[in-house]
């Protein structure tokens, strides 16, 4: 029997000496290819020469390549290509894996596009890690692909939106001081890339010093409280030296672990055009579009500033000159609105030139500097506040007399004739003055007082200036009350008509009457026409008042003719106002009133003042229309206006009435007597009658007879009488009891 054999002991493998740095062997497991195929991301493995070693199914799907195409064993489909972010084809040497191998360094998130045969593009982010052996030599590359198509499209949409919105983007590395910006930002500032340095210090040098301080404050607030955005308006210098207006908005996007700021990013919004437009709009809002002078709002602001300065600076004086142009409406109505606009422009130009050299007709923000002041320190603002109303503000004026001196200078300059097309136009100014000695404490009251003084200048005869005094308010208050009462008087039949006889100087007895309006106020009693006629003219009530007188006079003459027969006056004269003469339907109204009363047109005489008939073409046209009806026309107050004996033939007249001021001086003044005689001779030569007004003594009547004047009226025969009293006067005249 054989003896038992000893079990064989396994022989351990020989011990190998491990080289330093080489990992020990590990038990065999799944192959690398199996592991790569199991990954959800696309993975491509290349050798050191860039040849494909392996690509997993996810990479095949992302690149839209079949496994053989992915492994470069078959060509890709027609139309398939790899491209750069801007759409340019990407050469094989430019692809991420090849670039990493060529550069010898890893790449992170390299963007590449995959152009597909159907025209779509898939965008991938490739991160490439180089594979190295134990001694550090590159043995290949491992590229990991991620689909970023959605993110890329969103980013592209954002970039297009930013570009379309004209937004400039910027990023600031706060530690390194480096700046990054897009082309839109550079273009908005007028620069090309490379023309300006991209460092914080170089950018800061372009910003206006005032804006730098604003940026510093906004940045400090944002860094202290990130909820407060860093938003500030900046002025940035352009290459040509002008300034661009931008709004810069930024936020902190990165900090160190201990909270120190690292990076900021934001946008610049170019506001230059908007700022310029706003400046233009502000200028337009404060500038009269026709004359380019400051407008009402600007003038009021400037006056208010002067008022406030005078309150806080004792000794500072100012004056407001409020001017309105006489007969401007006549120019507008006669020559048309275009001519009126041209007249306003010429007035504005004269105001500019009338202020001494160096005076500043205010512009822009209507502030002055020392170069815009006179040698005596006086500064001027000339503006148009509406219609034909202009204002001159004098600042730093020494006293009231200095303001009056400027007013006299303006009156002289503005009174010279204006050439409008082929026409010569005369227009003077009436000026109201308020000085700081009598000024109120707000602009509106100051302007109201200057306006009040201007109307006093008009009442005093126009083409002059009047300095405001507080007592004028009482007169204005009376005028306002009179206007209100007059409106009621027209409704309550408080107005009535009286009649003054007109006698035949060369014959015997009366030949007509002149109708005059009177007002019996329930409280004030009889109100003088001198008190209410100017108010009626200024308020526009004169048209209704004139129509009342005309209708009453024609009706009364018709009544006298029915009652008195041959003793009734042959005609009745009624005054026409300037307002009535501008009414286009005046002739038709006169014709209707004559028809209602049953009077023949020749029984009515309408009287107009000399200045109105001589200066207003519209008035002359209305007179010609009335004359065509057969109504007689008289020129009232001859000798006090603008016409002359030589121009009487140009007017459609039947009668010339010699003003009472000439009659009262005729006996003692050769000049007045000769003028009356010349007027009578010229009128007779032209086939016109003459009437002398205001005859009060028998000697005056005798002189007018010797001068061969045709008719006369005055207190020598009778004052104006009510209708029943005039009827008794007519009967007495027939009986010979009235002195002639």
């Amino acid at each position: 029997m054989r003896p038992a054999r000893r079990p064989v002991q396994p022989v351990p493998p020989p011990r190998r000496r491990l080289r330093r740095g080489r990992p020990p062997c590990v038990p065999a497991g799944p192959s690398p290819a199996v592991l790569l195929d199991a990954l959800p991301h696309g993975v491509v493995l290349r050798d050191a020469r860039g040849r494909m070693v392996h690509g997993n199914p996810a990479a095949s799907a992302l690149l839209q390549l079949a496994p053989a195409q992915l492994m470069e064993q078959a060509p890709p489909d027609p139309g398939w290509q790899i491209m750069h972010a801007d759409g340019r084809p990407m050469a094989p040497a430019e692809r991420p894996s090849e670039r990493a191998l060529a550069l010898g360094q890893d790449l992170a998130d390299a963007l590449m596009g995959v152009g597909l045969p159907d025209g779509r593009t898939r965008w991938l982010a490739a991160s490439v890690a180089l594979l190295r052996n134990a001694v550090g030599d590159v043995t290949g590359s491992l590229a990991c692909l991620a689909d970023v198509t959605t993110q890329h499209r969103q980013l592209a949409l954002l970039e297009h939106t930013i570009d379309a919105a004209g937004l400039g983007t910027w990023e600031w590395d706060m530690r390194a001081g480096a700046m990054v910006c897009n082309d839109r930002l550079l273009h908005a500032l007028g620069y090309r890339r490379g023309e300006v340095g991209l460092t914080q210090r170089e950018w800061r040098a372009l910003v206006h010093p005032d804006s730098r301080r604003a940026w510093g404050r906004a940045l400090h607030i944002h860094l202290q409280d990130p909820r407060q955005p860093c938003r500030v308006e900046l002025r940035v210098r352009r290459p040509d030296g002008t300034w661009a207006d931008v709004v810069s908005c930024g936020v902190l996007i990165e900090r160190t672990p201990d909270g120190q700021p690292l990076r900021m990013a934001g946008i610049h919004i170019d506001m230059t055009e908007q700022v310029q437009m706003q400046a233009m709009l502000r200028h337009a809002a404060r500038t009269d579009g026709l004359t380019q002078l400051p407008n009402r709002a600007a003038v009021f602001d400037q006056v208010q500033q002067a008022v406030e300065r005078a309150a806080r600076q004792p000794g500072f004086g100012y004056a407001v000159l409020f001017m309105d142009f006489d007969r401007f409406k006549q120019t507008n109505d006669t020559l048309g609105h275009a001519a009126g606009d041209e007249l306003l422009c010429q007035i504005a130009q004269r105001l500019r030139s009338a202020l001494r050299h160096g005076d500043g007709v205010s512009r822009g923000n209507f502030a002055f500097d020392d170069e815009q002041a006179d040698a005596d320190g006086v500064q001027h603002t000339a503006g148009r506040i509406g219609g034909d109303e202009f204002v001159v503000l004098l600042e730093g004026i020494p006293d009231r007399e200095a303001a009056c001196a400027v007013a006299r200078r303006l009156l002289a300059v503005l009174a010279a004739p204006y050439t409008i097309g082929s026409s010569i136009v005369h227009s003077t100014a009436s000026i109201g003055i308020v000085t700081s000695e009598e000024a109120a404490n707000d602009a509106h009251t100051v302007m109201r007082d200057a306006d009040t003084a201007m109307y006093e200048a008009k009442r005093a005869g126009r083409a002059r200036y009047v300095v405001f005094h507080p007592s004028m308010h009482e007169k204005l208050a009376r005028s306002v009350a009179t206007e209100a009462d007059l409106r009621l008087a027209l409704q309550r039949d408080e107005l009535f008509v009286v009649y003054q006889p007109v006698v035949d100087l060369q014959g015997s007895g009366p030949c007509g009457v002149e109708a005059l309006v009177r007002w019996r106020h329930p409280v004030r009693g009889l109100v003088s026409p001198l008190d209410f006629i100017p108010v009626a003219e200024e308020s526009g009530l004169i048209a209704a008042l004139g129509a009342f007188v005309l209708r009453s006079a024609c009706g009364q003459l018709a009544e006298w003719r029915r009652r008195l027969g041959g003793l009734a006056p042959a005609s009745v004269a009624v005054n026409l106002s300037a307002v009535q003469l501008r009414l286009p339907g005046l002739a038709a109204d006169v014709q209707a009133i004559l028809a209602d009363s049953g009077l023949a047109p020749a029984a009515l005489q309408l009287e107009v003042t000399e200045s109105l008939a001589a200066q207003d073409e519209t008035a002359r046209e209305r007179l010609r229309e009335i004359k065509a009806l057969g109504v007689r026309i008289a020129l009232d107050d001859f000798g006090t206006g603008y016409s002359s004996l030589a121009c009487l033939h140009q007017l459609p007249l039947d009668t010339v009435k010699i003003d009472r001021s000439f009659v009262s001086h005729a006996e003692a003044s050769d000049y007045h007597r000769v003028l009356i005689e010349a007027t009578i001779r010229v009128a007779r030569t032209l086939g016109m009658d003459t009437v002398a007004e205001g005859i009060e003594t028998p000697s005056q009547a005798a002189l007018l007879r010797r001068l061969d004047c045709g008719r006369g009226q005055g207190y020598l025969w009778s004052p104006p009488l009510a209708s029943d009293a005039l009827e008794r006067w007519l009967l007495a005249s027939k009986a010979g009891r009235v002195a002639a």
Side-chain angles (χ1 to χ4, degrees):
M1 190 174 172
R2 290 182 180 180
R5 298 179 65 180
R6 294 177 61 185
V8 177
Q9 297 294 326
V11 179
R15 299 181 64 182
R16 295 183 180 179
R17 186 177 179 181
L18 296 179
R19 294 184 180 179
R20 186 175 297 176
R22 177 174 293 180
C25 295
V26 296
S31 68
V34 174
L35 293 175
L36 295 179
D37 290 348
L39 293 176
H41 297 291
V43 177
V44 174
L45 185 63
R46 295 178 180 272
D47 64 17
R49 296 183 179 181
R51 293 174 300 189
M52 287 291 298
V53 174
H54 185 74
N56 69 352
S60 181
L62 288 174
L63 293 169
Q64 289 289 289
L65 294 174
Q69 293 172 325
L70 177 63
M71 296 302 295
E72 299 177 347
Q73 297 169 356
D77 296 336
W80 185 94
Q81 64 174 339
I82 299 295
M83 63 184 67
H84 289 281
D86 59 5
R88 292 180 295 108
M90 184 181 290
E94 297 175 319
R95 295 173 185 176
S97 293
E98 283 78 355
R99 284 171 51 208
L101 290 169
L103 295 172
Q105 62 184 32
D106 297 348
L107 293 180
D109 296 326
L111 183 67
M112 68 181 200
V114 180
L116 304 178
D118 60 4
R120 294 180 296 118
T121 301
R122 173 172 289 174
W123 294 96
L124 306 178
S127 294
V128 183
L130 297 181
L131 303 177
R132 300 177 184 272
N133 59 21
V135 296
D137 297 329
V138 176
T139 60
S141 66
L142 182 70
C144 184
L145 306 177
D147 189 346
V148 293
T149 303
T150 300
Q151 297 91 318
H152 179 78
R153 288 175 178 170
Q154 291 175 343
L155 182 60
L157 177 61
L158 177 61
E159 290 178 348
H160 289 317
T161 302
I162 290 175
D163 190 64
L167 301 178
T169 61
W170 56 269
E171 186 176 336
W172 174 24
D173 184 334
M174 303 175 72
R175 180 169 291 179
M179 298 289 296
V180 177
C181 65
N182 65 354
D183 289 338
R184 173 68 69 173
L185 189 152
L186 292 172
H187 177 74
L189 300 179
Y191 293 97
R192 297 177 181 177
R193 191 164 294 278
E195 291 181 344
V196 60
L198 294 180
T199 67
Q200 172 64 11
R201 177 175 296 182
E202 289 168 308
W203 275 99
R204 178 180 170 83
L206 298 178
V207 178
H208 192 280
D210 293 341
S211 298
R212 293 176 202 163
R213 289 188 286 271
W215 166 259
R217 289 191 296 269
L219 178 61
H220 176 75
I221 292 173
H222 175 64
L223 294 179
Q224 294 297 317
D225 182 2
R227 293 172 299 177
Q228 301 292 327
C230 182
R231 185 182 187 280
V232 67
E233 297 181 7
L234 304 175
R235 298 183 69 203
V236 183
R237 189 174 65 251
R238 286 174 163 158
D240 60 1
T242 61
W243 296 94
D245 295 276
V246 302
V247 173
S248 183
C249 304
V251 293
L252 187 66
I253 61 174
E254 187 177 353
R255 290 180 182 267
T256 62
D258 61 352
Q260 296 301 311
L262 283 180
R263 282 196 306 153
M264 285 188 69
I267 60 172
H268 274 186
I269 305 173
D270 183 11
M271 301 294 293
T272 305
E273 291 186 4
Q274 292 90 327
V275 170
Q276 291 175 347
M277 180 61 69
Q278 290 172 1
M280 292 174 61
L281 291 175
R282 285 194 299 269
H283 178 74
R286 297 172 62 82
T287 304
D288 176 55
L290 179 63
T291 64
Q292 294 303 299
L293 291 177
N295 63 10
R296 181 182 183 88
V299 170
F300 270 73
D301 285 349
Q302 194 73 14
V303 172
Q304 184 62 38
Q305 292 177 30
V307 170
E308 294 171 357
R309 182 179 177 185
R312 66 175 182 269
Q313 183 179 330
F316 172 76
Y318 69 89
V320 174
L321 279 59
F322 191 113
M323 59 192 71
D324 181 274
F325 284 80
D326 309 321
R327 291 185 297 278
F328 172 77
K329 192 175 188 305
Q330 297 176 20
T331 301
N332 233 12
D333 293 342
T334 303
L335 302 179
H337 290 289
D341 289 348
E342 174 61 24
L343 177 58
L344 292 174
C345 290
Q346 292 191 26
I347 288 171
Q349 183 57 42
R350 289 193 187 185
L351 283 174
R352 291 189 184 97
S353 61
L355 301 174
R356 292 191 184 95
H357 179 70
D359 293 348
V361 178
S362 72
R363 301 187 182 280
N365 62 358
F366 306 99
F368 298 95
D369 55 36
D370 293 338
E371 294 179 357
Q372 294 174 304
D374 283 340
D376 57 4
V378 178
Q379 297 171 332
H380 303 72
T381 302
R384 177 185 176 221
I385 63 172
D388 60 331
E389 294 178 335
F390 292 77
V391 168
V392 170
L393 170 64
L394 309 176
E395 298 184 78
I397 200 79
D399 50 37
R400 168 176 162 171
E401 178 52 37
C404 293
V406 174
R408 287 191 292 270
R409 179 154 49 94
L410 292 177
L411 286 174
V413 170
L414 297 171
Y418 297 83
T419 301
I420 309 294
S422 59
S423 302
I424 302 297
V425 174
H426 297 268
S427 183
T428 55
S430 297
I431 303 177
I433 302 176
V434 170
T435 66
S436 49
E437 301 167 7
E438 297 287 354
N441 57 2
D442 67 279
H444 288 275
T445 304
V446 170
M447 296 289 280
R448 181 202 65 187
D449 293 345
D451 187 30
T452 299
M454 182 273 294
Y455 274 105
E456 287 298 316
K458 282 188 175 293
R459 292 189 185 99
R462 304 184 178 186
R464 64 195 65 207
Y465 68 86
V466 169
V467 179
F468 172 78
H469 189 273
S471 63
M472 293 178 183
H473 282 310
E474 299 176 6
K475 188 173 182 179
L476 178 62
R478 289 196 301 270
S479 177
V480 171
T482 298
E483 178 184 341
D485 289 347
L486 186 57
R487 291 183 185 276
L488 294 176
L490 286 166
Q491 302 171 13
R492 297 174 178 175
D493 296 327
E494 296 173 7
L495 299 168
F496 61 98
V497 179
V498 296
Y499 304 89
Q500 186 173 35
V502 178
V503 301
D504 184 352
L505 290 176
Q506 305 303 327
S508 59
C511 57
V513 293
E514 180 180 1
L516 302 166
V517 67
R518 294 293 184 265
W519 179 12
R520 183 176 289 106
H521 192 279
V523 177
R524 297 164 59 184
L526 284 176
V527 181
S528 170
L530 297 178
D531 292 335
F532 72 85
I533 293 297
V535 173
E537 290 177 338
E538 293 171 8
S539 64
L541 292 174
I542 194 67
L545 190 62
F548 164 76
V549 175
L550 181 60
R551 188 172 295 277
S552 299
C554 290
Q556 184 61 61
L557 180 57
E559 176 65 19
W560 279 330
R561 287 188 173 182
R562 285 191 293 271
R563 291 170 55 83
L564 302 178
L567 291 179
S571 64
V572 62
V574 178
N575 289 289
L576 284 180
S577 70
V579 175
Q580 286 175 285
L581 276 174
R582 295 191 186 103
L583 297 175
L586 177 61
D589 292 342
V590 171
Q591 189 175 30
I593 291 174
L594 288 172
D596 291 344
S597 63
L599 290 181
L604 174 64
Q605 177 171 280
L606 297 179
E607 300 182 355
V608 296
T609 60
E610 176 189 353
S611 59
L612 179 62
Q615 293 291 310
D616 196 327
E617 178 56 34
T618 301
R620 291 197 292 270
E621 179 60 30
R622 295 290 179 269
L623 292 177
R624 286 189 284 267
E625 294 173 359
I626 294 171
K627 179 75 171 177
L629 298 176
V631 175
R632 295 174 62 82
I633 305 295
L635 186 65
D636 201 8
D637 302 331
F638 183 78
T640 62
Y642 298 91
S643 60
S644 65
L645 294 174
C647 72
L648 286 179
H649 72 282
Q650 299 174 358
L651 304 174
L653 302 176
D654 299 285
T655 302
V656 176
K657 300 188 73 173
I658 302 169
D659 187 70
R660 63 181 64 247
S661 62
F662 285 85
V663 173
S664 64
H665 292 91
E667 291 182 281
S669 169
D670 291 339
Y671 168 78
H672 290 86
R673 184 170 60 255
V674 169
L675 183 57
I676 292 174
E677 184 177 11
T679 300
I680 293 171
R681 289 183 178 180
V682 171
R684 185 178 299 277
T685 301
L686 296 175
M688 301 176 186
D689 295 330
T690 53
V691 177
E693 299 179 289
I695 299 177
E696 298 181 355
T697 65
S699 60
Q700 289 175 346
L703 174 61
L704 269 300
R705 288 192 186 96
R706 289 197 302 273
L707 295 177
D708 206 19
C709 183
R711 290 176 287 169
Q713 68 182 95
Y715 275 68
L716 173 62
W717 295 282
S718 173
L721 301 170
S723 58
D724 54 350
L726 183 70
E727 186 173 330
R728 292 192 295 272
W729 185 90
L730 290 171
L731 293 173
S733 176
K734 182 65 175 178
R737 295 195 298 272
V738 176

